[in-house]
Amino acid sequence: MTRIQLRGRSAEQAALRRSGRGVVIVGGEPGIGKTALLRAEVAHAAGDGYAALATARPGDAVAPLATLAPALRPLLSTDGFHALADLQDKPLWLAERLASVLAAKAPALIAVDDVQHADPLSAFLLRALPARLAGAPVRWLLAGSLPAGADVRRLDLGPVSAEALAEIAADRLGHRPDAGLRARLAETDGLPYLAVRIIEDDPAGLRADVRRRLAHATDRCRALVTAAAVLSEAIRLDDIAMLMDEQPLDLIGPFGEAVALGLLSDGEDGAAFRHPWLRRAVLDDLTPSARRTLQTSAIDLGAGTEMSTMDEELNRLLEAEAPRPDNAWATLTAMEQRVATLISDGHTNRSAAATLHLSPSTVSTHLRAVFAKLAINSRVQLTRLAMRRQLT
């Protein structure tokens, strides 16, 4: 197996190789380099004994042993491998069988990436086999989180250094990065996978990465990330909630999910995307009509001065809104005029509904009628019409 040049992880690799045996969980945020570390360690160990890398996937749960089977297949004859099927409903016997096979192959390294997605039988074996092989030189290197029950050590990966990022760039470009590229790499905060996308100038690849991360997220998490991308690079949860027509407390869980996916970060000054490229990846994945609809909604909310974070693009769209004539105001019904007045004063649909003792959907219906009669399409224009009426 080809040796893999891993930059910026010499201390972590030395710690892993000193471990000798047992289970080590490799942790860290998405994109920090867990997969690269596992691949490098398997390549290093292959010359000294048996080494295999398996990757757990969200769909593994439908098939017993789906996660570990690819790593175990080379250990057994065809008949021996097929015989494992007869032991799937006898997990203790299966563990004993595999323990004897691995002991005969030692020294050995079994690495499993994204272990949190392992099928239940593989997860059981990853807890049971290390105990049965405690005296043998068998190492277990797992990236992700393993269900409780395993006696493990933990190695958490942090950001790599600026020099390591420069070495990664040199590996891919064939020369040291110039000052401009080094400055762009510094914006990644030492996140290797993002650095590689920037080095290779691969926004399409980054969009695919983000799409994969969000594929198994909850619907509300995906909606939250999209709303955050439309609003600004620095955002408040209150503003996202307003655009999503949700209560901020109800978004704490989806927001934590987005942080865990490595897309958003949280700080004293509010939330933000981990990198502008990540925000751009989310925006570029929207269809033009969807993006425009969300931008219009954000502008509408901002017209009431309730929105605290609107980016330059939205502000440009807001300033470009041309005032419309207000000679159609008299065509509004009494209720439509009351709705229009409240909305132009900065009320949301919900607060206007509470004031008028109507449902929010009824207010929305009246507001659509107002827009149609006044030949406008946003709260910004409605507010301007109302201000001009007050001045005349």
Side-chain angles (χ1 to χ4, degrees):
M1 187 179 291
T2 304
R3 294 296 174 96
I4 299 173
Q5 183 67 44
L6 189 65
R7 300 297 188 180
R9 296 297 185 200
S10 57
E12 290 88 344
Q13 287 182 289
L16 288 174
R17 292 167 192 176
R18 286 195 302 269
S19 63
R21 64 188 65 181
V23 182
V24 177
I25 296 282
V26 180
E29 65 177 302
I32 201 64
K34 298 185 293 292
T35 299
L37 180 61
L38 264 61
R39 288 174 177 168
E41 286 306 289
V42 168
H44 179 269
D48 300 324
Y50 177 74
L53 173 62
T55 299
R57 306 184 189 283
D60 283 1
V62 301
L65 213 57
T67 301
L68 279 179
L72 299 173
R73 179 64 184 88
L75 290 171
L76 301 159
S77 66
T78 299
D79 290 341
F81 183 73
H82 290 162
L84 297 181
D86 297 331
L87 297 174
Q88 287 180 8
D89 59 348
K90 302 178 180 65
L92 292 176
W93 288 98
L94 179 59
E96 292 297 338
R97 166 74 175 126
L98 293 176
S100 64
V101 172
L102 280 169
K105 289 287 184 178
L109 168 65
I110 306 294
V112 182
D113 200 8
D114 289 331
V115 69
Q116 69 273 11
H117 297 309
D119 64 276
L121 182 55
S122 292
F124 167 78
L125 292 172
L126 289 171
R127 295 193 300 269
L129 287 173
R132 285 163 171 75
L133 292 164
V138 177
R139 290 193 294 146
W140 305 83
L141 192 56
L142 313 176
S145 56
L146 186 67
D151 181 17
V152 302
R153 285 161 289 172
R154 186 170 182 89
L155 176 66
D156 288 308
L157 301 184
V160 299
S161 67
E163 182 55 31
L165 294 181
E167 291 173 346
I168 292 172
D171 290 340
R172 283 160 174 75
L173 300 175
H175 58 79
R176 299 284 293 181
D178 60 23
L181 179 54
R182 290 182 73 105
R184 292 196 298 276
L185 293 178
E187 296 178 346
T188 67
D189 293 329
L191 202 59
Y193 103 93
L194 188 54
V196 169
R197 292 302 187 195
I198 290 174
I199 292 164
E200 296 178 349
D201 192 20
D202 187 15
L206 186 60
R207 284 198 301 274
D209 292 340
V210 172
R211 200 178 302 126
R212 281 192 294 270
R213 292 192 191 187
L214 289 173
H216 301 287
T218 62
D219 290 342
R220 295 175 85 187
C221 175
R222 288 194 293 270
L224 183 147
V225 170
T226 301
V230 168
L231 286 175
S232 177
E233 292 182 7
I235 46 185
R236 293 192 318 150
L237 194 58
D238 287 351
D239 294 339
I240 299 175
M242 192 175 298
L243 185 56
M244 294 176 64
D245 197 23
E246 296 265 12
Q247 293 298 318
L249 284 176
D250 294 333
L251 295 182
I252 291 176
F255 176 71
E257 193 178 348
V259 171
L261 289 172
L263 298 175
L264 299 181
S265 60
D266 193 19
E268 293 182 358
D269 296 330
F273 276 86
R274 285 294 313 274
H275 191 276
W277 269 42
L278 291 171
R279 181 191 178 213
R280 179 54 53 185
V282 176
L283 287 175
D284 288 348
D285 224 22
L286 294 173
T287 63
S289 58
R291 183 173 177 178
R292 177 62 189 180
T293 297
L294 287 169
Q295 288 174 329
T296 300
S297 297
I299 289 173
D300 289 349
L301 291 169
T305 67
E306 297 167 330
M307 188 77 70
S308 65
T309 51
M310 295 177 67
D311 72 358
E312 294 180 2
E313 183 176 4
L314 288 182
N315 281 325
R316 286 196 299 271
L317 292 172
L318 179 60
E319 292 169 0
E321 295 277 357
R324 301 295 182 91
D326 60 353
N327 53 9
W329 193 275
T331 66
L332 302 182
T333 67
M335 182 57 71
E336 287 168 354
Q337 289 187 14
R338 293 177 69 186
V339 168
T341 299
L342 288 172
I343 297 300
S344 65
D345 284 342
H347 281 266
T348 64
N349 286 12
R350 284 186 177 180
S351 63
T355 300
L356 298 171
H357 304 290
L358 301 173
S359 69
S361 62
T362 300
V363 169
S364 296
T365 299
H366 285 308
L367 191 58
R368 284 194 297 271
V370 169
F371 283 5
K373 290 180 179 180
L374 299 183
I376 60 176
N377 56 24
S378 79
R379 297 176 189 230
V380 175
Q381 295 167 311
L382 178 60
T383 301
R384 289 174 177 169
L385 285 175
M387 291 176 65
R388 289 215 310 273
R389 282 179 53 81
Q390 292 172 4
L391 295 173
T392 58

